[in-house]
Amino acid sequence: MKMKLLILAALLGLSFAQFDPHMKNGRTSMVHLFEWRWADIAAECERYLAPNGFGGVQISPPSESIVVTNPWHPWWQRYQPISYNLCSRSGNENELKDMITRCNNVGVNIYVDAVINHMCGSGGGAGTHSSCGSYFNANTKDFPSVPYSAWDFNDGKCNTGSGEIENYNDVNQVRNCRLVGLLDLALEKDYVRGKVADYMNKLIDMGVAGFRVDACKHMWPGDLSAVYGRLNNLNTKWFSSGSKPFIFQEVIDLGGEPIKASEYTGLGRVTEFKYGAKLGNVIRKWNGEKLSYLSNWGEGWGMMPTGKALAFVDNHDNQRGHGAGGASIVTFWDSRLYKMAVGLMLAHPYGVTRVMSSYRWTRNIVNGQDQNDWIGPPSNGDGSTKPVTINADSTCGNGWVCEHRWRQIKNMVIFRNVVNGQTLSNWWSNGGNQIAFSRGSRGFIVINNDDWALDATLNTGLPGGTYCDVISGQKEGSKCTGKQVQVGGDGRAYFKISNSEEDPFIAIHADSKL
């Protein structure tokens, strides 16, 4: 019995540790620097992310992938691995190592987007059109750089005529057949598990803090558990002894399919796709949804427990109409609504939060679908990724959007750090689209998404004094660059927010007090 309890304790310890993002210095949010080069991420950690309280970066897949020239270098080529060599359009292995080291040295963690469900598409052909120039043959399922051969794929277990997933209500198809033609790895094989774990362990030893695991719905939970069980502890140069890698798994579950996110929440955190889809409906005021309905936001809306969730407003897939959430997803293209949605997410205690950082592309919407959803990052004529340039006003150039540098979003990342651990309290609404709440006595946010002004005296829960609004400006020295909020000795303050303002919300916190 004692032995059974010890084994159970060890398993619980393993799984529990995988929910902790290991962020340092009271930091609470990560940013997805989608398609950034390693050299640019290293510089951004030092000059911006660490000074502004960001806890980590989700990076694009670092493994060797297929190189596609028709269409021209699409973003999704990086989700088609041909080996676990560490060279990609973001840079080579030395640049990756340098970036991980430099970010860790300023307390910013690196989370790797790990593509382990599949290799490249079955139509990928043969040759060396790959990011490191390695040979492969998708036709014969030959990937000598790993090596994988035809023995290492699931085709024999897929029971559809096409070899593709044809019915998402058939659990076996979803997990054993090819997702959009991608060659599906047989992760129940000890050899394949070993190769995947070796790849992830090499990154752990280099100093990464964890992984966003791609396409988890298409892998059996037992196979993932076996892989995670083989992972090394984090590098003790930057993490405390015995720390397990943070795991957050991409499982698209909006309800209506047999595979549930809850099948994976025992293994690590899971990406909560309902979060952005439902918040988008509320912020857009679709289907009669109102901000006032958010008083029980989170689990009360059918989402997974906060301790299991990775929360986000949009991600690299659904901002292009892929993935999940459809037209309700709010993105940088709707910047006014987007700042409100991200501000609300960062003020609310639910989940571990991820902020998106994007690049622009030329959209071509036909029947609601963007025909240019494939376009890769800003690039030179040879397909190489352009550097992220920083303008004098702190915005980005070269086609990079850098939402994480927008003052309103950056300041709410800081807000979340300041209020960390405080409960949601002092909830107020007008019954429509005006709401306010505090995080204990450390922070307060007021949002007006109605078509008329908000004019109210509200209980902020904060100590009396003069506070700088961190949306219209911020505290600099002994003054506010934006609005000031006067909180009385009773914790109450008067707010007036016009519906026509650029940013119809106000946020104050303990560190923005004069």
Side-chain angles (χ1 to χ4, degrees), residues 436-472:
F437 58 87
S438 80
R439 292 291 301 279
S441 60
R442 299 278 295 166
F444 188 73
I445 187 169
V446 194
I447 304 175
N448 179 18
N449 198 29
D450 266 328
D451 297 328
W452 51 86
L454 180 152
D455 193 330
T457 298
L458 303 172
N459 184 18
T460 68
L462 272 59
T466 305
Y467 293 80
C468 299
D469 169 35
V470 298
I471 304 303
S472 59

Side-chain angles (χ1 to χ4, degrees), residues 246-280:
F246 178 47
I247 301 287
F248 58 107
Q249 305 161 102
E250 184 207 20
V251 181
I252 299 173
D253 174 15
L254 294 174
E257 285 180 28
I259 294 178
K260 303 290 178 214
S262 57
E263 294 175 55
Y264 297 85
T265 49
L267 303 174
R269 286 190 185 251
V270 175
T271 51
E272 181 50 278
F273 278 87
K274 291 176 184 146
Y275 195 99
K278 293 184 175 190
L279 187 57

Side-chain angles (χ1 to χ4, degrees), residues 277-473:
K278 293 184 175 190
L279 187 57
N281 275 325
V282 172
I283 289 283
R284 293 183 187 279
K285 300 187 270 198
W286 286 359
N287 309 322
E289 297 280 13
K290 296 181 172 76
L291 281 178
S292 58
Y293 297 168
L294 298 180
S295 58
N296 63 341
W297 182 237
E299 292 98 331
W301 280 59
M303 295 179 215
M304 64 188 82
T306 181
K308 308 284 180 141
L310 191 286
F312 56 101
V313 171
D314 64 329
N315 78 343
H316 70 278
D317 272 317
N318 63 18
Q319 70 173 200
R320 290 164 171 73
H322 294 264
S328 76
I329 298 298
V330 188
T331 71
F332 70 88
W333 297 108
D334 303 296
S335 62
R336 188 171 186 264
L337 294 179
Y338 188 69
K339 286 178 282 186
M340 261 193 285
V342 176
L344 178 59
M345 173 183 79
L346 293 169
H348 196 280
Y350 183 84
V352 165
T353 45
R354 180 181 64 199
V355 171
M356 184 67 198
S357 193
S358 320
Y359 57 82
R360 279 181 193 81
W361 69 95
T362 305
R363 293 202 289 180
N364 178 24
I365 311 289
V366 178
N367 297 325
Q369 184 58 49
D370 186 356
Q371 304 304 300
N372 287 341
D373 57 10
W374 58 270
I375 292 178
S379 58
N380 302 304
D382 61 356
S384 61
T385 302
K386 284 185 177 176
V388 178
T389 54
I390 307 299
N391 301 324
D393 65 356
S394 186
T395 59
C396 295
N398 261 355
W400 299 93
V401 179
C402 296
E403 298 97 312
H404 70 287
R405 278 177 166 263
W406 295 1
R407 178 191 68 244
Q408 301 85 344
I409 290 175
K410 175 262 291 183
N411 282 343
M412 287 306 298
V413 166
I414 296 168
F415 178 105
R416 189 176 191 81
N417 295 343
V418 172
V419 303
N420 188 31
Q422 300 285 311
T423 56
L424 190 150
S425 43
N426 296 298
W427 172 268
W428 170 89
S429 85
N430 70 339
N433 285 294
Q434 299 177 0
I435 61 166
F437 58 87
S438 80
R439 292 291 301 279
S441 60
R442 299 278 295 166
F444 188 73
I445 187 169
V446 194
I447 304 175
N448 179 18
N449 198 29
D450 266 328
D451 297 328
W452 51 86
L454 180 152
D455 193 330
T457 298
L458 303 172
N459 184 18
T460 68
L462 272 59
T466 305
Y467 293 80
C468 299
D469 169 35
V470 298
I471 304 303
S472 59

